[in-house]
Amino acid sequence: MNPEFHTYKNPSLAVDLVVFGYHRQSLSVLLLNRKDAPFKDGWTLPGGFLQMEETLQQVCNRIMRTKIGIENLYLEQLYSFDAPQRDPRGRVISIAHYTLINPERFEIIAGKMANDVQWFPVNQIPELGFDHTEIFRQASQRLKSKILYHPVGFELLDETFTMTELQALYECILDISIDRRNFRRKILDAGFILLTGSKREGLKNRHPDLYKFNKDLKQNSFQLNISSPQ
Amino acid sequence: MNPEFHTYKNPSLAVDLVVFGYHRQSLSVLLLNRKDAPFKDGWTLPGGFLQMEETLQQVCNRIMRTKIGIENLYLEQLYSFDAPQRDPRGRVISIAHYTLINPERFEIIAGKMANDVQWFPVNQIPELGFDHTEIFRQASQRLKSKILYHPVGFELLDETFTMTELQALYECILDISIDRRNFRRKILDAGFILLTGSKREGLKNRHPDLYKFNKDLKQNSFQLNISSPQ
DNA sequence: GCAAAAGTGTTGGCCGTACACCCATGA
DNA sequence: TCATGGGTGTACGGCCAACACTTTTGC
């Protein structure tokens, strides 16, 4: 082994997670209430330190498993945050990621952690510890641009969904309103959803078509050109 | 300090740099010929380990200063590479960055390093050590998308430049050909370059206008919609 | 005057926005 | 049959790709 190797101390390596959940037409983020200093009793993003043999993906899954009880998520690396004073305990570099989950598919652990973990709507995020407010801000921005060229809804919606439900997701993430008829055309042109043939029953009005994501899609990228009316 | 803190060994943290240079209408990348194992006598991206008190930007500047003799660059964080076996010497996580320089503004160090550092045109990159081929590939991709919404040319061209020179840069980075007249209109509409009033002299044909980048630009983002003819 | 490159203008087609109309359902 | 939301179609306008013409320079 190279003699230069591992002879000086390294900064610690951590991962912080922005966990987006979509539920009842509202986009939320999972926050952790800290029981220890620093930022005791304050809210932060869930996170953890990287062990020697772990990959980044494995750390993310471990954090989700132990703190929230789920794993195997859609995961995207966001950015590395390296300000020397970002953690008052010492030098920690954090490689932030974000994930998308459908809260209805999982029960957020109801045990000892129940009071420590909470969903916050993205427009009601409290002041966060460390530099996590900035991390959250960047994750929101990334998600907004990602949804325009990648079928993000896969992870956030149920197996089947109506066009209106899909539109509500886009309006929520992009924080704009979209013309119903133009949205339909653009999404269908993009080609990543398919008609299932069945319809959603039990509504007051006309039963809308149910769609599903096209999992066999070759080209997983497109260019949506979505804009607000007026 | 938290007792949990720093009690386990951390992976090493490194930075690898994709240094893009534009010279004589050709886009190149700076590669390093390794004198030591692993990959002795092979080509790799310049890189280095993060010291305890350094920021990522400082590491990048240190690498550039010691290996190439310049610093204070346009710098953008690319991605973190974490495959456990990516470095045969041990566990190293690399936070890759890319930079843009105008080779004419600097003299690449001519001293002891002269034989170790070399420009390679982007379409003639040899097999690289570690996972650097993948890092290079991602950097190229990022640059291609970045140039469509950010005035990248700042760093790669001279203080003043002609419209044709700017177009050649775009054609080179995007690897397409662009209609001369449509390119002019789009770039001018984007609003990030200004007429200097002077013209480039000494050419065989009509002397073209010289432009400069608008450094006082408030809105530093736009949306270029550049496409190949036919 | 000629060749070559640079500056300026024009047009036709396509796409995206805006908007209208009918359909299905529950009460 | 009425209210409400869902499915489908259309037309106008703006923008962009394609292309033509003039201007300037060296020889």
Side-chain angles (χ1 to χ4, degrees), chain B residues 12-27:
Chain B
S12 296
L13 202 53
V15 163
D16 287 307
L17 277 181
V18 182
V19 183
F20 287 106
Y22 182 70
H23 184 52
R24 298 175 188 272
Q25 311 217 348
S26 163
L27 190 67

Side-chain angles (χ1 to χ4, degrees), chain B:
Chain B
M1 183 172 281
N2 191 316
E4 285 182 302
F5 214 68
H6 277 142
T7 54
Y8 44 79
K9 211 172 165 190
N10 295 311
S12 296
L13 202 53
V15 163
D16 287 307
L17 277 181
V18 182
V19 183
F20 287 106
Y22 182 70
H23 184 52
R24 298 175 188 272
Q25 311 217 348
S26 163
L27 190 67
S28 299
V29 170
L30 208 55
L31 297 180
L32 214 63
N33 197 282
R34 287 184 64 84
K35 290 184 292 191
D36 305 308
F39 305 107
K40 180 162 158 54
D41 301 321
W43 295 97
T44 61
L45 299 171
F49 288 95
L50 185 80
Q51 312 283 359
M52 196 62 182
E53 303 81 11
E54 281 177 318
T55 63
L56 291 171
Q57 187 176 349
Q58 286 166 346
V59 194
C60 293
N61 276 328
R62 176 166 59 79
I63 295 168
M64 289 302 285
R65 187 179 347 107
T66 58
K67 301 210 167 157
I68 305 153
I70 60 181
E71 58 186 314
N72 278 330
L73 309 159
Y74 172 91
L75 187 66
E76 185 168 332
Q77 193 187 112
L78 186 61
Y79 201 75
S80 301
F81 294 83
D82 70 326
Q85 306 302 332
R86 60 179 295 281
D87 190 322
R89 296 168 294 181
R91 187 76 204 283
V92 181
I93 290 180
S94 170
I95 304 181
H97 290 66
Y98 74 88
T99 73
L100 305 173
I101 74 174
N102 178 346
E104 294 195 349
R105 292 194 197 169
F106 310 92
E107 38 179 281
I108 301 300
I109 47 166
K112 54 176 179 172
M113 288 292 186
N115 295 327
D116 302 335
V117 174
Q118 192 177 316
W119 290 107
F120 285 81
V122 289
N123 52 6
Q124 296 169 36
I125 303 289
E127 184 88 2
L128 300 182
F130 305 104
D131 51 1
H132 289 185
T133 296
E134 172 63 12
I135 296 178
F136 160 73
R137 207 189 53 74
Q138 284 202 31
S140 297
Q141 198 52 52
R142 179 77 68 92
L143 181 57
K144 278 188 190 183
S145 53
K146 185 88 181 181
I147 200 177
L148 295 180
Y149 63 92
H150 189 84
V152 160
F154 262 105
E155 324 293 334
L156 294 171
L157 296 176
D158 293 334
E159 198 69 25
T160 63
F161 49 88
T162 67
M163 188 61 78
T164 303
E165 289 162 2
L166 185 62
Q167 176 176 344
L169 173 64
Y170 275 75
E171 291 183 324
C172 185
I173 289 180
L174 294 173
D175 197 23
I176 59 176
S177 66
I178 310 173
D179 180 272
R180 181 174 66 85
R181 296 147 290 189
N182 294 332
F183 177 79
R184 164 188 297 273
R185 185 172 26 74
K186 287 174 189 174
I187 288 289
L188 291 177
D189 286 351
F192 64 92
I193 65 171
L194 301 173
L195 267 175
T196 62
S198 47
K199 295 172 184 296
R200 185 173 301 292
E201 310 288 340
L203 301 179
K204 300 185 307 190
N205 306 320
R206 178 171 180 171
H207 297 169
D209 291 334
L210 283 170
Y211 294 85
K212 62 183 176 187
F213 284 100
N214 182 0
K215 293 181 179 174
D216 301 329
L217 198 60
K218 295 286 195 305
Q219 137 146 1
N220 216 12
S221 177
F222 44 84
Q223 178 62 37
L224 284 180
N225 219 330
I226 289 179
S227 57
S228 245
Q230 301 169 18

Side-chain angles (χ1 to χ4, degrees), chain A residues 88-105:
Chain A
R89 296 168 294 182
R91 187 76 204 283
V92 181
I93 290 180
S94 169
I95 304 181
H97 290 66
Y98 74 89
T99 73
L100 305 173
I101 72 174
N102 178 347
E104 294 194 350
R105 291 193 199 169

